[in-house]
Amino acid sequence: MSLLGIVHSSGHITDNIIHVDLEQYNSFEICSAFLIITPDSHAILDCGTSNDVPTLLTYLTSKHQISLKKIKYLIPTHYHFDHFGGGWSLWNQIKEYNPDVKILTTSKTKKQLQDPELHMKRAYRTFGKMIGEMRSIPDKAFKIVNPNEEVLLPGFTDTQSLSLVPSPGHCEDHVCPTLFDHQKTEFMFLGEAAGTRMHSQNLLTLGTSMPPEFNYATYIQSLEHLIELNPMNIGLGHFGVIKGTDNTLKLMKKNLEFTHRFRTYVKEKFEEKNETRWIVEQFIENELEGRVETSKTDMRFLTRIIVALVYGQLIDLGFRDPR
Ligand SMILES: [Zn+2]
């Protein structure tokens, strides 16, 4: 672990939490999932695309001897293909071991998971075949909870609880599954609520966007609320873990600043020249330093991400129509 509390490797974060690099798109450090452990039960948080589910299950069972019978809940941060696109496959596989396993989520995410066609069509345009397969999930797979409702996992101590903290902005249904202990925020899975980390040595992040869903106002509001919860440890969907409240707050506050600056940047560039591709090129040329390790990054992949960021922002600014 670095001085800034940055953890990239798969493994235990605390006694109760395991971090998993899903090795998404056959690369390391793209997408994270987590496991919450109690003596009596487990919950899996996110699972990646349908292609990532075997990686996740092999890692948990062979490295940590996790019994699939004890998996009680599968919990998505949001419905996007890269975070819970493989949810249907995971549920199908786990129910062979535990017929009562449920996808624990809100009614908003359930609705999206049951109707993934338009999302997959849009995602395919940007990411092609890498998105795997998403299938509609039947009603009986779900246990619906309200945002912030207290969820008790069998085996929790008297002082532990779990809830899905609402964090819309990246998309409307986004939540942060959060483990509380002694009224402190022990671990918060941020999903995409505080940006994407593309630098291994510092706490600076890029934005997150899957056009046309990004909403600046709610994103900012959500992030301000998450900061108030003072998490001791955070997990990021993309990617890894930050330990220590000083570090977690620094990352989240820096992302808040970045999100504001990025919006201003896109707006100013748009006024200079109404051309998405040009704005993307300008951003890549001038704004990545210290934020993205370009030498370690597949530039084609990065460009797709920046296109999504810029385009998402342009739609939210009202400068482009959602397609
Ligand atoms: Zn997403």
Side-chain angles (χ1 to χ4, degrees), residues 77 163-167 174-178 188-191 193 226:
T77 54
S163 59
L164 310 183
V165 177
S167 41
H174 198 288
V175 296
C176 297
T178 302
M188 179 183 271
F189 185 16
L190 287 172
L226 300 173

mmCIF file of all heavy atoms in Angstrom, residues 77 163-167 174-178 188-191 193 226:
data_model
loop_
_atom_site.group_PDB
_atom_site.id
_atom_site.type_symbol
_atom_site.label_atom_id
_atom_site.label_comp_id
_atom_site.label_asym_id
_atom_site.label_seq_id
_atom_site.Cartn_x
_atom_site.Cartn_y
_atom_site.Cartn_z
ATOM 1 N N THR A 77 -24.014 -1.688 -7.985
ATOM 2 C CA THR A 77 -23.973 -0.230 -7.760
ATOM 3 C C THR A 77 -24.928 0.460 -8.732
ATOM 4 O O THR A 77 -25.528 1.473 -8.406
ATOM 5 C CB THR A 77 -22.562 0.348 -7.983
ATOM 6 O OG1 THR A 77 -22.110 -0.034 -9.290
ATOM 7 C CG2 THR A 77 -21.578 -0.149 -6.943
ATOM 8 N N SER A 163 -26.193 -0.490 3.916
ATOM 9 C CA SER A 163 -27.298 0.116 3.174
ATOM 10 C C SER A 163 -26.822 0.607 1.818
ATOM 11 O O SER A 163 -25.625 0.744 1.571
ATOM 12 C CB SER A 163 -27.981 1.233 3.973
ATOM 13 O OG SER A 163 -27.066 2.225 4.289
ATOM 14 N N LEU A 164 -27.784 0.822 0.947
ATOM 15 C CA LEU A 164 -27.498 1.320 -0.402
ATOM 16 C C LEU A 164 -27.703 2.829 -0.379
ATOM 17 O O LEU A 164 -28.841 3.312 -0.400
ATOM 18 C CB LEU A 164 -28.436 0.658 -1.424
ATOM 19 C CG LEU A 164 -28.538 -0.869 -1.366
ATOM 20 C CD1 LEU A 164 -29.440 -1.386 -2.493
ATOM 21 C CD2 LEU A 164 -27.171 -1.535 -1.427
ATOM 22 N N VAL A 165 -26.603 3.560 -0.290
ATOM 23 C CA VAL A 165 -26.699 5.015 -0.206
ATOM 24 C C VAL A 165 -26.969 5.563 -1.615
ATOM 25 O O VAL A 165 -26.200 5.291 -2.545
ATOM 26 C CB VAL A 165 -25.389 5.615 0.355
ATOM 27 C CG1 VAL A 165 -25.454 7.140 0.388
ATOM 28 C CG2 VAL A 165 -25.103 5.059 1.752
ATOM 29 N N PRO A 166 -28.069 6.292 -1.796
ATOM 30 C CA PRO A 166 -28.398 6.770 -3.149
ATOM 31 C C PRO A 166 -27.335 7.759 -3.644
ATOM 32 O O PRO A 166 -26.897 8.629 -2.888
ATOM 33 C CB PRO A 166 -29.746 7.468 -2.970
ATOM 34 C CG PRO A 166 -29.838 7.786 -1.519
ATOM 35 C CD PRO A 166 -29.025 6.758 -0.789
ATOM 36 N N SER A 167 -26.932 7.598 -4.893
ATOM 37 C CA SER A 167 -25.895 8.484 -5.446
ATOM 38 C C SER A 167 -26.112 8.692 -6.934
ATOM 39 O O SER A 167 -25.243 8.400 -7.752
ATOM 40 C CB SER A 167 -24.513 7.888 -5.170
ATOM 41 O OG SER A 167 -24.519 6.480 -5.376
ATOM 42 N N HIS A 174 -27.971 4.919 -9.622
ATOM 43 C CA HIS A 174 -26.709 4.599 -8.940
ATOM 44 C C HIS A 174 -26.836 4.654 -7.413
ATOM 45 O O HIS A 174 -27.407 5.579 -6.863
ATOM 46 C CB HIS A 174 -25.623 5.589 -9.403
ATOM 47 C CG HIS A 174 -24.228 5.129 -9.116
ATOM 48 N ND1 HIS A 174 -23.703 5.108 -7.845
ATOM 49 C CD2 HIS A 174 -23.261 4.650 -9.924
ATOM 50 C CE1 HIS A 174 -22.462 4.647 -7.894
ATOM 51 N NE2 HIS A 174 -22.169 4.363 -9.148
ATOM 52 N N VAL A 175 -26.286 3.633 -6.748
ATOM 53 C CA VAL A 175 -26.204 3.624 -5.274
ATOM 54 C C VAL A 175 -24.789 3.219 -4.860
ATOM 55 O O VAL A 175 -24.059 2.610 -5.642
ATOM 56 C CB VAL A 175 -27.201 2.626 -4.630
ATOM 57 C CG1 VAL A 175 -28.641 3.013 -4.901
ATOM 58 C CG2 VAL A 175 -26.920 1.185 -5.084
ATOM 59 N N CYS A 176 -24.430 3.555 -3.629
ATOM 60 C CA CYS A 176 -23.155 3.116 -3.071
ATOM 61 C C CYS A 176 -23.425 2.142 -1.923
ATOM 62 O O CYS A 176 -23.824 2.574 -0.832
ATOM 63 C CB CYS A 176 -22.347 4.304 -2.548
ATOM 64 S SG CYS A 176 -21.902 5.465 -3.838
ATOM 65 N N PRO A 177 -23.223 0.827 -2.155
ATOM 66 C CA PRO A 177 -23.376 -0.122 -1.057
ATOM 67 C C PRO A 177 -22.342 0.206 0.033
ATOM 68 O O PRO A 177 -21.152 0.301 -0.252
ATOM 69 C CB PRO A 177 -23.076 -1.473 -1.720
ATOM 70 C CG PRO A 177 -23.258 -1.240 -3.191
ATOM 71 C CD PRO A 177 -22.857 0.185 -3.418
ATOM 72 N N THR A 178 -22.836 0.406 1.249
ATOM 73 C CA THR A 178 -21.966 0.932 2.308
ATOM 74 C C THR A 178 -22.113 0.126 3.586
ATOM 75 O O THR A 178 -23.226 -0.150 4.030
ATOM 76 C CB THR A 178 -22.311 2.421 2.573
ATOM 77 O OG1 THR A 178 -22.154 3.135 1.340
ATOM 78 C CG2 THR A 178 -21.403 3.035 3.616
ATOM 79 N N MET A 188 -17.159 2.063 1.885
ATOM 80 C CA MET A 188 -18.165 2.527 0.936
ATOM 81 C C MET A 188 -17.699 2.174 -0.475
ATOM 82 O O MET A 188 -16.586 2.537 -0.861
ATOM 83 C CB MET A 188 -18.327 4.042 1.077
ATOM 84 C CG MET A 188 -19.320 4.635 0.120
ATOM 85 S SD MET A 188 -19.362 6.420 0.329
ATOM 86 C CE MET A 188 -20.614 6.516 1.577
ATOM 87 N N PHE A 189 -18.555 1.434 -1.200
ATOM 88 C CA PHE A 189 -18.237 1.118 -2.596
ATOM 89 C C PHE A 189 -18.808 2.232 -3.460
ATOM 90 O O PHE A 189 -20.020 2.319 -3.645
ATOM 91 C CB PHE A 189 -18.816 -0.244 -2.961
ATOM 92 C CG PHE A 189 -18.436 -0.708 -4.350
ATOM 93 C CD1 PHE A 189 -17.395 -0.127 -5.068
ATOM 94 C CD2 PHE A 189 -19.117 -1.765 -4.938
ATOM 95 C CE1 PHE A 189 -17.047 -0.567 -6.336
ATOM 96 C CE2 PHE A 189 -18.782 -2.220 -6.208
ATOM 97 C CZ PHE A 189 -17.750 -1.612 -6.910
ATOM 98 N N LEU A 190 -17.922 3.071 -3.981
ATOM 99 C CA LEU A 190 -18.369 4.265 -4.702
ATOM 100 C C LEU A 190 -18.872 3.975 -6.105
ATOM 101 O O LEU A 190 -19.511 4.837 -6.704
ATOM 102 C CB LEU A 190 -17.224 5.273 -4.795
ATOM 103 C CG LEU A 190 -16.852 6.005 -3.501
ATOM 104 C CD1 LEU A 190 -15.587 6.817 -3.721
ATOM 105 C CD2 LEU A 190 -17.984 6.908 -3.044
ATOM 106 N N GLY A 191 -18.573 2.764 -6.620
ATOM 107 C CA GLY A 191 -18.971 2.524 -8.012
ATOM 108 C C GLY A 191 -18.393 3.624 -8.887
ATOM 109 O O GLY A 191 -17.176 3.822 -8.926
ATOM 110 N N ALA A 193 -19.421 6.930 -8.542
ATOM 111 C CA ALA A 193 -19.910 8.183 -7.959
ATOM 112 C C ALA A 193 -18.815 9.203 -7.690
ATOM 113 O O ALA A 193 -19.101 10.331 -7.298
ATOM 114 C CB ALA A 193 -20.676 7.887 -6.668
ATOM 115 N N LEU A 226 -21.845 12.025 -0.030
ATOM 116 C CA LEU A 226 -20.932 10.910 0.259
ATOM 117 C C LEU A 226 -19.726 11.399 1.061
ATOM 118 O O LEU A 226 -19.252 10.712 1.968
ATOM 119 C CB LEU A 226 -20.474 10.236 -1.043
ATOM 120 C CG LEU A 226 -21.589 9.633 -1.908
ATOM 121 C CD1 LEU A 226 -21.037 9.148 -3.246
ATOM 122 C CD2 LEU A 226 -22.310 8.495 -1.190
#
